[in-house]
Amino acid sequence: MSQVRVRFAPSPTGYLHIGGLRTALYNYLLARQTGGTFILRIEDTDRTRFVADAEDDILATLKWAGLDVDEGPEAGGECGPYRQSERSALYLRHASELVDSGAAYYAFDTPEELDAMRERLKSPQDPSPRYDCHTRGNMRNSLTLSPDDVATLLATGTPHVVRLLVEPGKTISFVDAVRDQVSFASEVVDDQILVKSDGMPTYHLANVVDDHYMSITHVIRGEEWLSSTPKHILLYEALGWTAPTMAHLPLILSPTGGKLSKRAAERQGIPVLVKQYQDAGYEPEALVNYLALLGWNPGDDREIFDLAGLVEVFSLERVGSAGVQFDLEKLAWFNGQHLRRLPVANLAERTATALASTGIEVDAAYVTEMVGLMQERVAFASELATTTGYFFSDPMSYDENGVKKRWKDDSAELVVAYAATLEAGIEDTPEAFEQALRQLTETREVGAGRLIHPARLAVSGVTMGPGLFEMMALLGSETCARRLRRAAQVLG
Ligand code: GLU
């Protein structure tokens, strides 16, 4: 096989959404696995939906996710420019060629004439008739008008579009790497506009021309483009080019079923923009891992992959065609899993910054140790700064349910005795704190739990957290003793 060349071809009509990132990821994985090339192409021919900072967001998001681009608007490359708005002349040249060869035609119908046609022909079976083999014979185009009339209309600058001529009675087939053989009857394919009346090419024409000139070997994109593919196949045929291998990724479904549209997602509180996941504190590794499995599986029950691991095992053959349900809880779980795998230093630095922004300045070594204790216990890195207040100041209150359940009649007396042992002098190691506690409870002939739970409440104010003795060793005996005595006083 020739060198794999794949492209991610977003339209800059908004910020990158999770479905887009998944498409980019699958393209990237195939490129890296085969030593091929990953291209970013900005499909900005639709100026009415253009969003000025969308391209910046796309570039930044791909970088955040670790998907480095080999060729693109920023990376450059031999097949540039990589923005379609800068390639118009090329598309228009091929549009004329298609008209000349009879594969496309001019249509002069005004918007009113198009509306009238739809009104006239609509029926319960066909509520929105299209411009196609059934209707074009009754419209104003270069198939129905005389060559002289057409020449005059063009010469006088009459607004017109260029349409693809789709002949009836044909079966348009292609092999999809995800769905195998896919066929469409040409009667259901409309005469797609290739060049709009403003002289701009549509997505369909520009997409096919670019995939050809950029030597794309695989078109990997979302299922929503599947119905456009017969049009593209006809264009490849008409232009005498070989179509790339097609691979349409399964739809992403909402947890309640049905397509995860922007509206459905909003209703169910599911963010759709990658930026929202960044802002909510998801790790890029976790989102990438989760999206990789949203439509693809490794063939066994492995779940945790980093990007390099995905590059190794990914294959288009293992991409399914059935829609896949988005599961925010599962993604949060992946986040926790990837947090555990991050170097402590990385998290410590971020935590120190987050703490500093709330006015808590602490020693770097102390934060690093704290992160070491907590890393396994949080799902989001932000929790390392937001749920760990007791590492930085004495608790001001005590968890009510915890007190009800754990603070017994003898608790105050036990924690005070424990405080006294600590004050008598103790090494700041978990072992020393544990030994002191066990000695005390043995002397009192009570189970260790009788002191462990109240001590935790006294020291942290809450019932959950890292290992008690590790936490106490980090806080130091002086701090612990003070907190134990205070809790005895407050809780009695
Ligand atoms: N510009 C299209 C999009 O926004 C590209 C579809 C394709 O990959 O062909 O997704």
Side-chain angles (χ1 to χ4, degrees):
M1 189 170 43
S2 58
Q3 271 275 18
V4 165
R5 289 179 59 84
V6 288
R7 82 312 190 262
F8 176 49
S11 300
T13 53
Y15 288 1
L16 192 63
H17 51 77
I18 42 177
L21 182 58
R22 184 191 62 169
T23 300
L25 173 63
Y26 286 22
N27 276 285
Y28 171 89
L29 293 177
L30 187 70
R32 289 293 167 271
Q33 182 174 72
T34 56
T37 306
F38 176 53
I39 298 160
L40 173 66
R41 182 172 76 222
I42 302 296
E43 301 209 323
D44 55 351
T45 56
D46 186 353
R47 304 310 285 181
T48 57
R49 295 177 60 216
F50 183 77
V51 172
D53 56 349
E55 182 181 321
D56 288 344
D57 174 74
I58 292 163
L59 287 169
T61 306
L62 293 180
K63 268 184 210 149
W64 175 79
L67 311 184
D68 39 308
V69 169
D70 302 315
E71 292 178 25
E74 205 183 40
E78 294 195 345
C79 299
Y82 292 90
R83 274 185 210 100
Q84 290 188 328
S85 56
E86 296 163 24
R87 299 167 65 85
S88 288
L90 179 66
Y91 312 130
L92 298 182
R93 196 163 69 185
H94 285 293
S96 309
E97 190 186 314
L98 289 165
V99 173
D100 291 346
S101 71
Y105 61 92
Y106 296 115
F108 300 93
D109 316 273
T110 62
E112 294 73 34
E113 286 167 336
L114 290 170
D115 283 345
M117 177 270 277
R118 288 187 204 109
E119 256 329 288
R120 193 170 69 244
L121 298 180
K122 82 173 178 206
S123 66
Q125 297 87 309
D126 188 5
S128 51
R130 294 168 317 161
Y131 209 112
D132 59 14
C133 60
H134 308 289
T135 54
R136 65 182 170 231
N138 298 311
M139 305 302 289
R140 286 205 310 133
N141 52 52
S142 54
L143 306 173
T144 58
L145 300 168
S146 72
D148 282 352
D149 286 347
V150 172
T152 312
L153 285 169
L154 291 176
T156 53
T158 311
H160 62 276
V161 299
V162 175
R163 285 185 181 272
L164 177 66
L165 177 62
V166 182
E167 300 284 12
K170 278 176 63 170
T171 303
I172 307 162
S173 299
F174 56 92
V175 177
D176 186 291
V178 171
R179 287 145 217 274
D180 297 329
Q181 182 87 17
V182 182
S183 299
F184 288 84
S186 62
E187 283 81 1
V188 304
V189 180
D190 62 315
D191 288 359
Q192 176 63 50
I193 295 181
L194 302 177
V195 180
K196 292 177 284 188
S197 56
D198 62 1
M200 286 294 273
T202 56
Y203 151 76
H204 304 276
L205 176 64
N207 188 269
V208 165
V209 169
D210 282 347
D211 283 345
H212 172 73
Y213 280 97
M214 295 183 180
S215 306
I216 298 301
T217 56
H218 296 71
V219 167
I220 305 172
R221 61 185 171 200
E223 184 178 317
E224 62 273 27
W225 301 103
L226 186 62
S227 61
S228 296
T229 307
K231 298 173 186 175
H232 300 176
I233 298 289
L234 291 178
L235 281 171
Y236 282 108
E237 279 175 17
L239 290 163
W241 299 336
T242 309
T245 299
M246 299 287 170
H248 289 89
L249 308 179
L251 284 180
I252 299 181
L253 305 177
S254 98
T256 53
K259 197 182 166 198
L260 184 64
S261 63
K262 218 166 138 189
R263 197 151 355 113
E266 254 161 38
R267 222 178 19 236
Q268 293 173 59
I270 298 172
V272 284
L273 302 178
V274 179
K275 189 173 182 343
Q276 292 172 295
Y277 287 91
Q278 288 172 5
D279 293 348
Y282 284 85
E283 303 298 321
E285 293 86 354
L287 188 60
V288 162
N289 189 164
Y290 178 68
L291 290 178
L293 293 167
L294 205 59
W296 166 86
N297 71 78
D300 51 39
D301 53 13
R302 277 176 302 168
E303 285 194 294
I304 306 299
F305 293 96
D306 60 13
L307 201 50
L310 288 169
V311 166
E312 241 169 73
V313 294
F314 179 78
S315 73
L316 279 179
E317 288 71 44
R318 300 210 67 89
V319 175
S321 58
V324 276
Q325 244 159 8
F326 192 83
D327 182 347
L328 203 51
E329 264 173 45
K330 187 82 201 223
L331 173 56
W333 178 82
F334 273 103
N335 205 64
Q337 295 300 312
H338 280 275
L339 270 188
R340 286 159 189 51
R341 286 165 173 77
L342 282 180
V344 176
N346 167 318
L347 288 172
E349 202 187 311
R350 287 157 62 186
T351 304
T353 310
L355 287 169
S357 74
T358 64
I360 303 177
E361 296 287 349
V362 269
D363 178 57
Y366 184 84
V367 175
T368 305
E369 278 196 58
M370 186 275 282
V371 167
L373 293 184
M374 293 300 290
Q375 186 172 10
E376 294 270 329
R377 294 166 206 278
V378 293
F380 290 92
S382 57
E383 292 171 52
L384 292 170
T386 56
T387 66
T388 53
Y390 54 85
F391 279 101
F392 311 105
S393 53
D394 293 358
M396 281 295 136
S397 61
Y398 303 94
D399 177 77
E400 246 179 69
N401 285 332
V403 171
K404 234 182 257 165
K405 198 159 156 215
R406 302 295 192 188
W407 197 267
K408 308 280 186 229
D409 291 345
D410 60 355
S411 296
E413 196 257 323
L414 275 172
V415 297
V416 168
Y418 192 27
T421 350
L422 304 187
E423 282 154 357
I426 186 171
E427 221 188 313
D428 277 342
T429 65
E431 296 74 28
F433 280 90
E434 175 162 11
Q435 208 195 359
L437 182 139
R438 291 197 189 276
Q439 235 163 38
L440 181 64
T441 50
E442 263 161 44
T443 322
R444 299 292 174 98
E445 291 180 342
V446 293
R450 201 77 182 178
L451 178 50
I452 287 180
H453 297 296
R456 175 185 288 286
L457 256 178
V459 170
S460 69
V462 291
T463 54
M464 308 245 280
L468 172 66
F469 304 116
E470 278 82 10
M471 172 170 72
M472 292 183 82
L474 180 57
L475 287 167
S477 53
E478 204 189 307
T479 300
C480 292
R482 181 178 68 239
R483 293 184 183 186
L484 290 165
R485 285 191 184 280
R486 180 165 187 280
Q489 238 170 33
V490 175
L491 301 172

